[in-house]
Amino acid sequence: MNWPYHFLDLTQEEKDRRRTLLDTYGSRAQLSVLAPLLALQIYFLVSWLSIRWRSRNGGIGYGGRVDSPPSSPRSKKLRSSSLFGASRTGGDYLHLTKRFGIVASSQLPLQYLLALKSPYSPLQYLTRRSHETLNSLHQLLGRITTLLLYSHAILYLNFYILSNLLTAKLQEGYVLAGIFGIVAFTAVGTAALTPVRRWSYKVFYITHVTLAIALLPVLWFHVSHIRIYLYETAAVYALNTALRFLASSTRAASMRVIPGTNLLEIEVPLTSASRQKWAPGQHAYISLAGHPLLRTFRSNPFTVASIPTSDGHLRFMARILDGNTAKLATQAGHDSKREHLITVEGPYGVVTHAERLLRYDRVLFIAGGVGATFIVPLYRQLLADLSPSAGSRRRGMANFLWMVRSRAETAWALPAQKRERQGFVERLRVQVTGSKAVNEESLGASEGREGMEDTGYDHAEQGIELEEQKNLLADEGHEDTKSDMQGLKVFEGRPDLTKAIEQTLSSGHGSDKVAVVVCSPGSLSRAVRNEVGLWVGRGRDVWFWDESFGY
């Protein structure tokens, strides 16, 4: 089959028509996002009307799931045609080459919109999804855009070589700007790879932020045709900066390093008015108070490990690594009475977990290390919502399996009030998987979402890594329960994860609704996902939430 595209010698009028057509393709590619968004709004409206109708007719008032946007042959056709459009290049090699570039450039505003963390993000509002969910689309669109730009650059390079223009073009400023753009996109994509993020979150973050800023003025000098998209992208970036500034506040907080661990605890008092703003399962960016521009490069997300409305404060837990957590720990010391000024930016993240978990007949929580910062407040909230008294039958629907390196790492989670503490430990099983041989030197040097290490969040948590193969997850035989004065039941060794999940999913009636929530290092999360997947493959209906923080 012959290559259908050729180098054509066009008149100026033909070049102008080509430019008009290329601009049209860029506009279509950008506006095409409105098609799935409109379809999603129609879906939400139909779902709402359906729920109202069923409620009025005695049906289930809150049974419909709105977990994913609708998928139909028409919507798929709209999405696919929106990005590439109908082919009308007419065999013009440079038309095809330029179209790759303009379609990729038209996606930059959407790419930056998907990266907005603020709950006031237009896309979060329209899709009713959190930043964590949309971030996967941000990553996917980034790969597609990079692929289009590579195609644009390779085809141009081929043209320059075959036309004996390469040496001359490499001296042109607009060509050098384009080369920088390709290199920058490559660096951003490489730094976003999971192995790089686990090796050094700081490298990933600084690379991402720096090049995202630098790309806009450089591409402005590349060609004039894409400047409209660069102006739009700059506006989105300005919106992001403004929203982050409005979400930030300087607060007095108590900080300490928990004795016997390398965990940093931060507590921020809340006024009565501000408590309603925060919810379990959310996170915030924490840094020492300082210049806001410098703070951008040293701020890391921390999970809210308390129930703000009832506790009256925000609690954040983090494993002490290098960078931001090391700076915070140096200031903190071991004196919890000493106050420090910190900057808190948030809240971010999903706020509906606690309400949703009440819809299920049984819930299994699984946490690895300080992944419990996400699990503990949800577990506490669910127990309180089910029944205020320990030993009640309703509380039997919840179970919590927590793997830690040492027993000292559980101290922060135990409620201060005796009555709540008794109920907290009733459904909790702690597995101590570490040993005295695990020390701070083996922790690694990467940072991720503080208090919620990687899937990941932090390769350091691999000290309690559980192998994916279920034959390696079997109990090690240390089943003698050890209870401390708090009533905490502790087991040594790794748990039988297969058995724990089986007990939750096999008990009761097959029609029971079951939820499994996990937050842990990547290996444990994958193992849980694999085990739950086996049950789903057998027809078991399970709502599974893996709290993995995508960057």
Side-chain angles (χ1 to χ4, degrees):
M1 181 177 181
N2 295 327
W3 175 249
Y5 298 102
H6 309 281
F7 302 155
L8 303 181
D9 187 12
L10 304 181
T11 65
Q12 186 58 47
E13 182 181 357
E14 289 172 329
K15 290 180 180 178
D16 291 340
R17 286 201 301 267
R18 180 174 66 186
R19 171 47 50 200
T20 301
L21 186 57
L22 286 168
D23 292 340
T24 301
Y25 283 131
S27 299
R28 287 180 182 176
Q30 184 178 72
L31 294 176
S32 64
V33 69
L34 298 178
L37 286 176
L38 178 60
L40 196 57
Q41 303 316 303
I42 295 174
Y43 174 70
F44 288 148
L45 177 61
V46 171
S47 297
W48 178 76
L49 292 174
S50 175
I51 291 172
R52 295 259 319 208
W53 183 84
R54 284 184 293 174
S55 178
R56 290 178 179 179
N57 289 273
I60 301 174
Y62 208 116
R65 289 192 175 184
V66 188
D67 288 340
S68 60
S71 180
S72 66
R74 174 166 174 78
S75 63
K76 290 179 180 177
K77 182 178 179 181
L78 284 171
R79 287 195 293 269
S80 60
S81 63
S82 68
L83 188 58
F84 298 105
S87 179
R88 291 175 56 191
T89 59
D92 186 349
Y93 180 94
L94 287 182
H95 188 155
L96 176 67
T97 304
K98 293 173 183 288
R99 199 205 295 184
F100 277 124
I102 198 165
V103 170
S105 301
S106 71
Q107 303 305 301
L108 289 177
L110 177 60
Q111 180 74 359
Y112 280 56
L113 267 176
L114 287 169
L116 280 181
K117 297 180 175 65
S118 172
Y120 300 107
S121 162
L123 289 181
Q124 290 189 42
Y125 177 78
L126 290 173
T127 62
R128 303 182 188 179
R129 293 296 181 268
S130 69
H131 163 70
E132 287 76 16
T133 303
L134 293 180
N135 197 52
S136 61
L137 297 178
H138 170 75
Q139 294 171 338
L140 177 60
L141 182 59
R143 296 186 185 104
I144 295 174
T145 302
T146 302
L147 179 61
L148 293 175
L149 290 175
Y150 269 127
S151 301
H152 172 74
I154 291 171
L155 288 176
Y156 250 122
L157 179 62
N158 179 63
F159 170 69
Y160 291 153
I161 293 174
L162 295 180
S163 302
N164 297 317
L165 296 172
L166 183 60
T167 302
K169 288 296 182 180
L170 290 179
Q171 299 177 42
E172 297 283 351
Y174 77 95
V175 174
L176 295 177
I179 293 174
F180 175 87
I182 291 295
V183 172
F185 269 94
T186 302
V188 168
T190 302
L193 295 174
T194 299
V196 178
R197 295 201 312 267
R198 289 179 176 176
W199 168 66
S200 177
Y201 176 74
K202 184 188 295 184
V203 168
F204 154 74
Y205 187 76
I206 293 178
T207 301
H208 224 70
V209 173
T210 303
L211 293 180
I213 298 172
L215 267 171
L216 300 185
V218 171
L219 291 179
W220 192 90
F221 287 105
H222 180 48
V223 288
S224 61
H225 321 300
I226 65 172
R227 288 176 182 172
I228 181 61
Y229 305 123
L230 300 179
Y231 295 145
E232 293 170 356
T233 305
V236 172
Y237 191 85
L239 174 65
N240 179 57
T241 302
L243 291 176
R244 292 195 68 174
F245 175 79
L246 294 174
S248 301
S249 61
T250 300
R251 300 170 179 262
S254 61
M255 301 192 299
R256 66 164 181 153
V257 177
I258 296 181
T261 72
N262 68 331
L263 299 181
L264 172 68
E265 179 183 49
I266 303 174
E267 285 195 2
V268 182
L270 293 175
T271 63
S272 299
S274 62
R275 294 177 188 178
Q276 303 301 322
K277 179 182 176 182
W278 298 83
Q282 293 183 303
H283 63 273
Y285 287 82
I286 305 292
S287 65
L288 292 172
H291 196 282
L293 292 180
L294 295 178
R295 187 170 66 244
T296 300
F297 293 96
R298 69 169 189 256
S299 184
N300 302 86
F302 289 67
T303 307
V304 177
S306 58
I307 305 178
T309 52
S310 58
D311 295 340
H313 63 261
L314 296 174
R315 171 184 285 156
F316 302 100
M317 302 294 303
R319 183 133 354 242
I320 303 169
L321 305 170
D322 66 347
N324 188 40
T325 49
K327 292 186 179 76
L328 291 168
T330 300
Q331 293 289 322
H334 292 80
D335 185 4
S336 61
K337 302 295 183 181
R338 185 181 175 186
E339 288 191 342
H340 307 267
L341 287 179
I342 64 172
T343 298
V344 180
E345 178 196 329
Y348 295 127
V350 179
V351 298
T352 58
H353 287 307
E355 177 184 346
R356 177 163 193 164
L357 289 173
L358 285 171
R359 307 177 199 171
Y360 295 91
D361 299 300
R362 288 190 303 284
V363 180
L364 174 62
F365 297 101
I366 300 176
V370 287
T373 54
F374 174 79
I375 298 293
V376 163
L378 292 177
Y379 171 68
R380 288 178 56 201
Q381 185 69 64
L382 181 61
L383 292 180
D385 291 340
L386 291 173
S387 174
S389 303
S392 68
R393 183 185 63 83
R394 294 196 65 197
R395 280 175 171 250
M397 67 170 283
N399 287 283
F400 181 10
L401 176 61
W402 186 5
M403 283 142 279
V404 294
R405 294 177 177 177
S406 65
R407 192 182 306 189
E409 294 191 0
T410 65
W412 64 268
L414 299 177
Q417 296 183 358
K418 182 178 180 180
R419 181 180 179 183
E420 184 184 1
R421 186 167 62 248
Q422 290 175 341
F424 181 90
V425 301
E426 179 185 18
R427 310 298 306 173
L428 170 63
R429 175 189 177 102
V430 175
Q431 295 280 164
V432 178
T433 62
S435 66
K436 294 182 179 179
V438 178
N439 50 47
E440 294 186 11
E441 282 70 32
S442 67
L443 293 179
S446 61
E447 286 198 17
R449 180 170 176 180
E450 302 298 349
M452 289 181 54
E453 291 101 327
D454 204 3
T455 48
Y457 298 159
D458 181 8
H459 191 57
E461 196 62 29
Q462 300 301 321
I464 63 163
E465 181 177 20
L466 301 185
E467 293 85 350
E468 292 183 64
Q469 295 81 2
K470 66 181 182 180
N471 61 322
L472 295 179
L473 288 164
D475 219 41
E476 294 186 350
H478 302 290
E479 283 296 327
D480 293 333
T481 305
K482 298 181 180 180
S483 300
D484 57 20
M485 296 181 63
Q486 306 286 354
L488 188 66
K489 295 182 288 293
V490 181
F491 298 82
E492 294 182 0
R494 294 168 177 166
D496 187 338
L497 190 58
T498 301
K499 180 179 179 181
I501 294 175
E502 180 181 5
Q503 288 176 340
T504 299
L505 299 183
S506 64
S507 58
H509 302 287
S511 59
D512 287 354
K513 295 190 294 184
V514 180
V516 178
V517 183
V518 59
C519 183
S520 70
S523 57
L524 177 57
S525 292
R526 290 190 297 269
V528 175
R529 180 182 294 273
N530 290 340
E531 291 294 334
V532 173
L534 294 176
W535 285 89
V536 173
R538 300 169 192 161
R540 195 70 168 92
D541 186 16
V542 183
W543 182 69
F544 178 74
W545 185 272
D546 178 5
E547 182 63 13
S548 56
F549 191 79
Y551 297 102

